[in-house]
């Protein structure tokens, strides 16, 4: 029992230190700042809306297809192990598989286009994007920016 208390207090102290570091780093503020920036600049809505609508449509189609094709086989498998709550377990399994597929499809097909549209709408030239690379010189770091046609 004494070792259990020691292990528990050690884990709680580590967790408290981690939470304190997270709060003091203020890294959690940046997503909130990004959301507030997006909400306060309506010209960004027009840039992201078509991509977002296609991504939502694809997400809905993938989820419906997964329930149509995968729910019943997973339900049959879950009945063997989960008993009367098999329908809930099978639904969570299908939703988690749908989530993985949606994330993969969204990142591969929609994320680059959304980022390009955001860069274009936020005052970069439509045919050129800034590509900044850091080069170390003998007297310190120097940033070299070149524009590349897209």
């Amino acid at each position: 029992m004494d070792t259990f208390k020691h292990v528990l207090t050690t884990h709680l102290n580590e967790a408290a230190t981690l939470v304190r570091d997270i709060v003091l780093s203020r890294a959690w503020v940046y997503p909130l700042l990004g959301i507030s920036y997006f909400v306060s600049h309506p010209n960004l809505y027009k840039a992201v809306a078509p991509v977002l609508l296609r991504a939502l449509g694809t997400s809905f189609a993938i989820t419906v297809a997964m329930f149509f094709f995968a729910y019943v086989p997973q339900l049959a498998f879950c009945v063997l192990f989960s008993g009367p709550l098999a329908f809930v377990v099978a639904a969570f399994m299908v939703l988690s598989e749908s989530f993985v597929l949606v994330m993969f499809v969204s990142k591969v097909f929609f994320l680059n286009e959304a980022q390009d549209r955001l860069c274009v709408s936020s005052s970069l030239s439509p045919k050129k994007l800034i590509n900044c690379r850091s080069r170390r010189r003998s007297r310190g770091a120097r940033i070299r920016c070149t524009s590349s046609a897209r």
Side-chain angles (χ1 to χ4, degrees):
M1 189 67 166
D2 198 30
T3 58
F4 176 74
K5 287 181 182 179
H6 176 68
V7 170
L8 183 64
T9 57
T10 304
H11 284 300
L12 287 176
N13 287 337
E14 290 174 2
T17 303
L18 183 63
V19 168
R20 182 180 49 89
D21 290 343
I22 289 170
V23 170
L24 292 177
S25 73
R26 297 183 48 89
W28 51 272
V29 173
Y30 291 107
L32 300 174
L33 291 174
I35 291 169
S36 67
Y37 182 82
F38 182 75
V39 168
S40 66
H41 289 79
N43 61 338
L44 296 178
Y45 300 163
K46 292 181 279 187
V48 179
V51 177
L52 187 62
L53 288 175
R54 277 190 301 199
L56 287 174
T58 304
S59 171
F60 181 74
I62 287 173
T63 305
V64 168
M66 286 296 292
F67 267 100
F68 184 75
F69 290 111
Y71 181 70
V72 174
Q74 289 184 7
L75 179 64
F77 182 75
C78 288
V79 164
L80 298 173
F81 300 105
S82 299
L85 294 177
F87 66 94
V88 175
V89 174
F92 279 124
M93 288 173 62
V94 170
L95 286 174
S96 64
E97 292 165 356
S98 299
F99 171 73
V100 169
L101 286 173
V102 166
M103 290 302 297
F104 176 74
V105 169
S106 295
K107 285 185 179 182
V108 169
F109 294 110
F110 301 123
L111 185 62
N112 288 336
E113 183 181 351
Q115 287 176 339
D116 290 346
R117 285 175 171 255
L118 280 174
C119 287
V120 167
S121 69
S122 65
S123 78
L124 289 179
S125 160
K127 299 203 178 204
K128 295 181 181 182
L129 294 174
I130 304 295
N131 181 16
C132 295
R133 287 183 274 182
S134 176
R135 274 189 4 187
R136 184 159 298 274
R137 298 256 181 188
S138 62
R139 293 186 180 173
R142 185 174 185 184
I143 296 176
R144 185 177 136 220
C145 293
T146 60
S147 61
S148 60
R150 210 157 214 234

